[in-house]
Amino acid sequence: MGLAQAKKIVLYGLVIFVLYTIIKTPERAAELVQVGFEGISDAAKSIGDFMTALIS
């Protein structure tokens, strides 16, 4: 099995898991999305703080 085929299988599995989670527990899925966005937001803020510190 090639690496590309393994990636495709993992991606399909992830999509199926996400769809299952959304269908079975939409409230939990919404919480996970919110946590994900908060993490991205925190990371972006940290990078901004770092860049500001470099310039100062």
Side-chain angles (χ1 to χ4, degrees):
M1 177 183 344
L3 184 60
Q5 190 175 9
K7 284 183 180 180
K8 191 183 293 187
I9 291 170
V10 169
L11 180 62
Y12 286 143
L14 184 62
V15 168
I16 290 169
F17 173 74
V18 168
L19 290 175
Y20 174 79
T21 302
I22 291 171
I23 291 168
K24 291 298 278 183
T25 55
E27 299 86 11
R28 178 72 177 135
E31 288 175 18
L32 293 175
V33 170
Q34 183 178 2
V35 167
F37 280 125
E38 286 174 0
I40 292 169
S41 175
D42 290 345
K45 183 181 181 312
S46 296
I47 291 171
D49 291 345
F50 173 73
M51 294 298 182
T52 301
L54 283 178
I55 294 170
S56 300

